[in-house]
């Protein structure tokens, strides 16, 4: 991307000064495209280089900017007396080396996002003290950049007091008072925030106050009130600064490889040793030992003295992979995750930047890690939509991993049991080298999959609970008899997905979003899963106060309660974002591994890459939900979810069994999932994509618009549509415009949303249209309407 010099008079006024020694193009972390020219005075040029950070005057502000280019002569066509000087140089050496800087600029160009914002996302964390120093003394170089790494820190932990079980006050029991006017049981939750915290503690045991605050902002005050009533206990103790290094691990010995593993590992290791720029797709069934192949590749790259980057879709998958790595190679590893403080994140960044550490593991943003001499990039579960950032800088971590490896001359390995259609197509076309692991590493067979037709057997089995059919109830009972474990998958949080008012004759909706409110019974509240609006549920409509309300559907909270009621002997756990997120999910999974949970109810958090030797039964409660979404990828996502969750069963010596409940037993996706037939699913799906011109046979970009003013956003959508239709590429059919139309979820956080889709067979035509659209938006920015361009969108809602 060539830097563009923008001249804005109010930004460049400066007093007389000595002749500059250097001219630099600087990107600032603002939603402005292009770069700005500044001068560097004599005596300040020694540490100025592309990729470095400088403090520059911008209007009346002092901003941290990023040097893109350095020139010994002034650029042509600018008025030299209007160029302002750099205030100070922040770094002794650039924070981005030439390879990483080029990669980041390419990423900004591809996703049509301001390069300064991209560089800020990839830059090391800056301590708050340093930011204050810029305001008070712009020339003070913040000493906080040399962050200190502490091995331990103190944290506050909360757990239930050792008393009778806490019962959160439900909607049915609210208002029940004793003669004194107070609640009969002092341990009952008083309010939805107390109920939410108690629900998390019941599910998890002990939780840090820091994590509770991520769920409830006023957690400290709520916990103090609960502690005052003797409901919870609060302790404070030292913990490792990074939870991934808190426990000792026993060094392991590399196990013998299967023939397929050995062939895959040898192909990757050979490419690493030859310093080849090559991409692989490692397609292995669940339990086939892909992680062991990853470890052999990392070993090879370390022996070659080069660096490695390992990406996982979610932080919940990180502990398992970190544990395997530490057991094999030790603790010389940087783990990049959202739980790190700024100083800790900066310490990790500096270890990588200086070459002290050469291996990093993290979620999608780790693709920006400053690893020296990068030789290997691994993307685990490459199909996972979590790799796509859905706001601001809308990049895809997998695609940037491929670009990063290509720019660095490194090997890239994409691994999955259910590869994305685009990746499998690319491998079949020869752009990636296909490596197959067709059997499980333990020689255990894939689990037997049974389709339960809810139309025939009914929604309710002998227990009378909704969506617990007779075959599923019997299977759970038999699994408990054998002392084995069960996972039940339902991709809906809460107790009831919607509550319908008979008087209003409609579901209770969020006042700010066009979605139904979800009942969370333990909290005694209705909650919006899009904007987090919450209102108490008193057993009546919160609008008309009619008691004629009906709970519709089943969420994980209700399913958990149904299992507890139907199987009193079972120890039941739940894993969803209401009780755990990020690193906290590992606490629930550890209870399952230790055998402290017999039946785990969960959302898609339970489907991804986990290994539980005693899980022999997996139940998919309702397989139809994702198939009805207005998204051309709905079949692909449904197959991937079913295949991944089915893969949790029977991974070791015990045979596995999977029951999939559905109202559409004849659907092709369910047939392919029943037979573990990824290739068959791929052939079905690729034929439909070819006919419709969707990826991989076409390139798409979404234009997303939203505003607090419904009419404004509709007018802007029509104006942009007229502009696009008049472009030559759209007139001659090289690029097709679909829409604009209201988004499937039309209103979120009180903002009306519209979207349009641009589709083209060839990328260059689409790129030309997008660049013209960007120029139009910069020349005529629509007032009070946000417009975002999402290149290669994944989420269509």
């Amino acid at each position: 991307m060539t830097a563009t010099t923008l001249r804005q008079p109010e930004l460049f006024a400066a007093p007389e000064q000595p002749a500059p020694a250097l001219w630099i193009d600087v990107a600032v972390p603002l939603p402005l495209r292009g770069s700005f020219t500044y001068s560097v005075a004599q005596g300040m040029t020694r540490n100025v280089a592309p990729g470095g950070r400088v403090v520059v005057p911008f209007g009346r502000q002092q901003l941290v900017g990023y040097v893109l280019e350095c020139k010994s002569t002034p650029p042509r066509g600018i008025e030299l007396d209007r160029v302002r000087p750099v205030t100070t140089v922040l770094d002794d050496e650039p924070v981005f080396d030439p390879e990483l800087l080029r990669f980041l600029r390419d990423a900004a160009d591809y996703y049509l996002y301001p390069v300064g914002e991209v560089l800020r996302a990839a830059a090391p964390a800056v301590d708050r003290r340093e930011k204050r120093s810029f305001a008070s003394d712009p020339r003070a170089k913040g000493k906080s950049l040399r962050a200190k790494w502490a091995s331990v820190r103190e944290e506050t932990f909360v757990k239930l007091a050792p008393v009778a079980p806490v019962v959160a006050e439900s909607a049915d029991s609210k208002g029940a008072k004793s003669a004194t006017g107070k609640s009969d049981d002092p341990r009952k939750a008083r309010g939805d925030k107390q109920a939410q915290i108690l629900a998390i503690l019941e599910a998890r045991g002990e939780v840090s106050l820091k994590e509770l605050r991520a769920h409830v902002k006023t957690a400290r005050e709520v916990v103090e009130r609960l502690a005052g009533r003797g409901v919870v206990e609060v302790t404070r103790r030292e913990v490792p600064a990074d939870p991934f290094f808190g426990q000792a691990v026993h060094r392991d010995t590399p196990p013998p490889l299967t023939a397929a593993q050995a062939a895959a590992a040898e192909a990757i290791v050979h490419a690493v040793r030859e310093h080849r720029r090559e991409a692989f797709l490692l397609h292995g069934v669940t339990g086939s030992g892909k992680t062991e192949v990853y470890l052999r590749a990392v070993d090879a790259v370390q022996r070659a003295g080069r660096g490695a980057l390992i990406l996982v879709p979610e932080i919940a998958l990180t502990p398992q992979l970190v544990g395997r790595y530490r057991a094999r190679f030790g603790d010389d590893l940087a783990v990049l995750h959202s739980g790190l403080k700024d100083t800790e994140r900066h310490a990790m960044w500096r270890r990588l930047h200086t070459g002290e550490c050469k291996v990093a593991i993290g979620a999608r943003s780790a693709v920006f890690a400053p690893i020296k001499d990068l030789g290997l990039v691994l993307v685990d579960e490459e199909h996972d939509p979590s790799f796509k950032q859905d706001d601001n800088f809308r990049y895809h971590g997998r695609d940037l991993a491929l670009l990063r490896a290509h720019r660095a001359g490194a090997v890239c390995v994409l691994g999955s049991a259910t590869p994305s259609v685009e990746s499998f197509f690319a491998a079949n076309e020869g752009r990636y080298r296909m490596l197959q692991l067709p059997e499980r590493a333990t020689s255990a067979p894939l689990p037997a999959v049974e389709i339960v037709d809810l139309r025939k057997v009914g929604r309710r089995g002998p227990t009378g609970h909704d969506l617990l059919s007779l075959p599923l109830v019997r299977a759970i009972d038999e699994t408990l008899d054998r002392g084995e474990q069960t996972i039940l998958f339902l991709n809906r949080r809460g107790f009831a997905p919607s509550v319908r008012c008979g008087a209003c004759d409609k579901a209770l909706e969020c006042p700010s979003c066009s979605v139904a409110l979800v009942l969370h019974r333990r909290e005694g509240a209705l909650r919006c899963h899009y904007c987090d609006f919450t209102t108490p549920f008193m057993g009546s409509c919160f609008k008309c106060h009619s008691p004629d309300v009906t709970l519709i559907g089943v969420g994980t909270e209700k399913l958990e309660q149904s299992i507890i009621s139907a199987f009193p002997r079972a120890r039941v756990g739940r894993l969803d974002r209401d009780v755990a997120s990020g690193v906290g999910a590992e606490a629930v999974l550890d209870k399952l591994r230790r055998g402290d949970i017999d039946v785990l109810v969960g959302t898609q958090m339970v489907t991804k890459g986990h290994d539980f030797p005693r899980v022999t039964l997996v139940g998919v409660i309702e397989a139809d939900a994702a198939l009805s979404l207005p998204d051309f990828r709905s079949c692909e996502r449904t197959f991937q979810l079913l295949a991944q969750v089915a893969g949790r069963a029977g991974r070791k010596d015990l045979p596995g069994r999977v029951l999939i409940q559905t109202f559409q037993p004849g659907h092709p996706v369910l047939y392919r999932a029943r037979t573990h037939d990824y290739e068959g699913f791929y052939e079905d799906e690729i034929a439909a994509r070819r006919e419709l011109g969707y990826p991989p046979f076409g390139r798409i970009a979404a234009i997303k618009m939203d505003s607090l003013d419904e009419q404004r956003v509709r007018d802007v959508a029509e104006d942009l549509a007229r502009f696009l239709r008049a472009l030559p590429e759209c007139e001659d059919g090289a690029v097709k415009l679909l829409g604009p139309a209201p988004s499937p979820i039309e209103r979120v956080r009180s903002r009306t949303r519209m979207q349009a889709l641009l589709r083209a067979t060839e990328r260059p035509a689409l790129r030309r249209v997008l660049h013209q659209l960007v120029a139009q938006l910069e020349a005529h920015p629509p007032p009070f309407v946000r417009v975002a361009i999402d290149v290669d969108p994944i989420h269509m809602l």
Side-chain angles (χ1 to χ4, degrees):
M1 176 180 174
T2 303
T4 304
T5 301
L6 303 180
R7 302 203 313 274
Q8 298 184 15
E10 67 275 12
L11 302 182
F12 293 104
E16 289 187 9
Q17 53 189 299
L22 197 65
W23 307 84
I24 59 174
D25 289 336
V26 176
V28 293
L30 294 173
L32 301 170
R33 300 178 192 278
S35 60
F36 298 84
T37 298
Y38 287 88
S39 63
V40 183
Q42 297 283 352
M44 294 179 61
T45 61
R46 184 169 61 89
N47 296 327
V48 177
R53 294 182 300 177
V54 292
V55 178
V56 295
F58 196 88
R60 297 181 180 179
Q61 307 177 71
Q62 294 285 336
L63 298 179
V64 176
Y66 306 91
V67 180
L68 299 181
E69 293 183 15
C70 299
K71 302 169 185 175
S72 58
T73 58
R76 295 180 180 178
I78 68 169
E79 300 178 42
L80 300 185
D81 59 345
R82 303 183 70 82
V83 176
R84 301 176 75 177
V86 165
T87 304
T88 192
V89 180
L90 276 181
D91 305 294
D92 295 333
E93 59 181 87
V95 294
F96 304 117
D97 63 28
E99 174 264 313
L100 184 54
L101 179 62
R102 184 171 67 252
F103 159 71
L104 292 168
R105 295 183 70 177
D106 286 345
D109 181 54
Y110 182 78
Y111 289 104
L112 301 170
Y113 202 70
V115 66
E117 298 271 62
V118 173
L119 295 173
R120 178 172 62 177
V126 178
D127 196 296
R128 290 186 181 89
R129 289 170 296 174
E130 182 182 39
K131 293 180 180 178
R132 286 198 295 268
S133 75
F134 295 156
S136 60
D137 181 5
R139 299 182 184 278
K141 184 184 295 188
K143 294 182 180 179
S144 60
L145 286 172
R146 296 164 176 79
K148 294 182 180 179
W149 174 252
S151 60
V152 296
R153 65 186 181 204
E154 278 200 346
E155 278 198 19
T156 300
F157 289 86
V158 185
K159 65 180 180 180
L160 295 175
V163 292
V166 176
V167 180
E169 188 175 6
S170 70
D172 300 328
S173 63
K174 280 195 173 185
K177 306 287 182 180
S178 66
T180 62
K182 297 182 179 180
S183 297
D184 295 327
D185 187 350
R187 299 183 185 89
K188 284 184 177 178
R190 300 172 182 173
D192 59 327
K193 292 180 180 178
Q194 287 191 14
Q196 188 174 358
I197 285 179
L198 292 176
I200 294 170
L201 296 177
E202 284 184 272
R204 298 271 303 282
E206 186 177 61
V207 183
S208 71
L209 181 61
K210 177 183 177 181
E211 187 178 346
L212 289 176
R213 291 175 68 182
H215 292 276
V216 178
K217 292 181 179 178
T218 57
R220 183 181 297 277
E221 293 79 9
V222 175
V223 166
E224 286 176 355
R225 288 195 291 270
L226 289 171
R229 291 163 43 206
V231 177
V232 301
E233 291 182 349
V234 180
T235 57
R236 190 166 178 82
R237 64 174 184 269
E238 287 187 342
V239 297
D242 193 314
F244 294 111
F245 296 89
Q247 295 182 344
V249 296
H250 299 290
R251 297 299 289 267
D252 74 352
T253 302
L257 300 178
T258 65
Q261 282 179 307
E266 176 57 31
I268 298 169
V269 167
H270 182 70
V272 168
R273 288 173 178 163
E274 295 293 318
H275 285 220
R276 289 213 305 263
R277 180 186 283 117
E278 189 169 4
F280 294 88
L281 176 62
L282 181 61
H283 176 212
V285 299
T286 54
S288 59
K290 292 184 288 295
T291 302
E292 184 59 37
V293 175
Y294 298 158
L295 294 176
R296 301 297 175 102
V298 172
D299 181 59
V301 81
Q302 286 189 317
R303 290 177 184 274
R306 305 184 72 190
L309 170 63
I310 306 169
L311 298 182
V312 294
E314 290 194 20
I315 192 175
L317 284 180
T318 310
Q320 183 170 287
L321 191 56
V322 170
R324 291 285 301 274
Y325 180 93
R326 293 176 63 210
R328 183 68 54 85
F329 303 112
D331 291 348
D332 191 15
L333 168 72
V335 183
L336 305 173
H337 58 89
S338 57
L340 292 175
K341 294 180 179 179
D342 278 354
T343 52
E344 296 162 350
R345 184 182 300 276
H346 186 271
M348 287 286 191
W349 178 91
R350 182 163 290 280
R351 291 184 66 212
L352 292 168
H353 182 67
T354 60
E356 177 187 346
C357 175
K358 287 200 166 186
V359 180
I361 296 179
R364 62 175 176 249
S365 62
V367 75
F368 306 127
I371 299 170
K372 295 292 186 183
D373 194 15
L374 184 63
L376 177 68
V377 179
L378 298 170
V379 184
D380 191 28
E381 308 291 358
E382 67 86 26
H383 67 278
D384 198 295
S386 299
F387 279 118
K388 175 71 171 182
Q389 173 86 6
D390 202 31
D391 56 9
N392 299 323
F393 180 28
R394 300 169 188 260
Y395 67 93
H396 198 300
R398 178 202 61 209
D399 295 344
L400 286 189
L402 286 161
L403 177 63
R404 178 85 189 270
H406 182 79
R407 289 285 182 263
V411 171
C412 185
V413 181
L414 310 181
S416 177
T418 54
S420 66
V421 169
E422 292 90 337
S423 293
F424 204 75
F425 179 81
N428 284 334
E429 291 286 296
R431 296 201 299 275
Y432 309 154
R433 184 174 170 186
M434 180 82 79
L435 303 173
Q436 297 275 10
L437 302 178
E439 297 178 348
R440 286 185 158 178
T442 59
S443 299
L446 289 168
V449 180
E450 305 167 33
I451 302 296
V452 178
D453 187 351
L454 293 178
R455 299 173 306 174
K456 293 182 178 179
V457 304
R459 296 172 61 98
R460 299 173 187 268
T463 66
H465 295 287
D466 197 19
L467 291 180
L468 288 184
S469 67
L470 175 60
L472 182 59
V473 169
R474 285 177 174 170
I476 295 172
D477 221 15
E478 293 167 1
T479 305
L480 291 172
D481 287 342
R482 295 193 301 269
E484 296 164 5
Q485 295 172 306
T486 298
I487 289 178
L488 299 179
F489 168 61
L490 176 62
N491 213 19
R492 284 198 300 265
R493 291 186 289 139
F495 189 87
S498 65
V499 179
R500 185 173 184 83
C501 173
C504 298
D505 195 26
K506 62 180 181 180
L508 303 185
E509 285 195 350
C510 172
S512 301
C513 310
S514 53
V515 295
L517 291 169
V518 178
L519 173 62
H520 291 253
R521 173 160 275 181
R522 281 186 178 176
E523 299 176 33
L526 295 168
R527 182 180 296 277
C528 174
H529 287 174
Y530 285 82
C531 73
D532 209 32
F533 167 82
T534 304
T535 185
F537 181 63
M538 309 299 292
S540 60
C541 176
F542 72 92
K543 289 186 176 179
C544 72
H545 307 293
S546 168
D548 182 17
V549 294
T550 305
L551 308 185
I552 299 174
V554 176
T556 49
E557 185 185 350
K558 183 175 182 180
L559 179 61
E560 178 193 24
Q561 293 302 312
S562 298
I563 296 297
I564 291 171
S565 173
F567 303 96
R569 59 178 170 149
R571 295 164 298 173
V572 182
R574 175 160 60 98
L575 180 58
D576 58 30
R577 299 200 185 281
D578 292 331
V579 299
S581 60
V583 180
E586 189 66 11
V588 178
L589 298 175
D590 276 342
K591 291 174 71 175
L592 185 67
R593 291 191 189 97
R594 292 194 305 267
D596 296 338
I597 293 176
D598 299 313
V599 181
L600 178 64
V601 174
T603 57
Q604 63 183 356
M605 295 174 72
V606 304
T607 70
K608 301 178 179 181
H610 305 295
D611 194 352
F612 308 112
R614 296 199 61 78
V615 170
T616 58
L617 175 65
V618 167
V620 178
I621 301 302
E622 191 174 8
D624 308 312
L627 289 171
S628 59
L629 294 176
D631 188 337
F632 72 89
R633 288 191 174 92
S634 61
C635 288
E636 179 183 12
R637 288 200 184 127
T638 300
F639 178 86
Q640 289 167 342
L641 278 173
L642 295 178
Q644 291 286 338
V645 73
R648 300 315 108 205
R651 292 174 69 95
K652 296 296 183 184
D653 300 327
L654 302 172
R657 183 184 181 191
V658 180
L659 270 64
I660 299 177
Q661 298 187 146
T662 177
F663 291 98
Q664 304 178 64
H667 198 289
V669 167
L670 301 185
Y671 172 76
R672 300 298 186 185
R674 183 177 66 82
T675 55
H676 303 284
D677 186 5
Y678 174 83
E679 285 79 3
F681 159 75
Y682 171 79
E683 293 300 331
D684 295 341
E685 184 68 12
I686 205 72
R689 301 272 186 98
R690 182 183 287 110
E691 182 178 349
L692 296 172
Y694 281 118
F697 300 101
R699 300 290 179 176
I700 59 175
I703 306 165
K704 301 182 177 183
M705 300 149 280
D706 64 81
S707 175
L708 292 170
D709 188 321
E710 179 179 352
Q711 191 57 49
R712 279 184 186 272
V713 72
R714 293 183 183 278
D715 291 343
V716 167
E718 289 302 326
D719 290 343
L720 291 179
R722 279 192 294 271
F723 169 80
L724 291 169
R725 292 189 189 106
L727 297 177
E729 292 83 358
C730 293
E731 285 187 330
D732 64 18
V735 178
K736 294 182 179 179
L737 174 65
L738 306 179
S743 300
I745 300 176
E746 189 171 356
R747 211 160 41 89
V748 173
R749 298 182 186 275
S750 300
R751 302 185 72 89
T752 301
R753 306 160 76 227
M754 300 280 291
Q755 65 181 25
L757 202 65
L758 290 168
R759 190 176 67 196
T761 305
E762 301 296 332
R763 189 197 304 271
L766 180 61
R767 298 292 295 175
R768 289 195 299 273
V769 168
L770 292 176
H771 281 294
Q772 292 176 82
L773 176 60
V774 168
Q776 174 71 6
L777 291 171
E778 288 182 339
H780 306 285
F784 307 109
V785 177
R786 294 189 304 205
V787 181
I789 298 173
D790 190 356
V791 179
D792 302 331
I794 295 294
H795 306 283
M796 306 301 292
L797 298 182

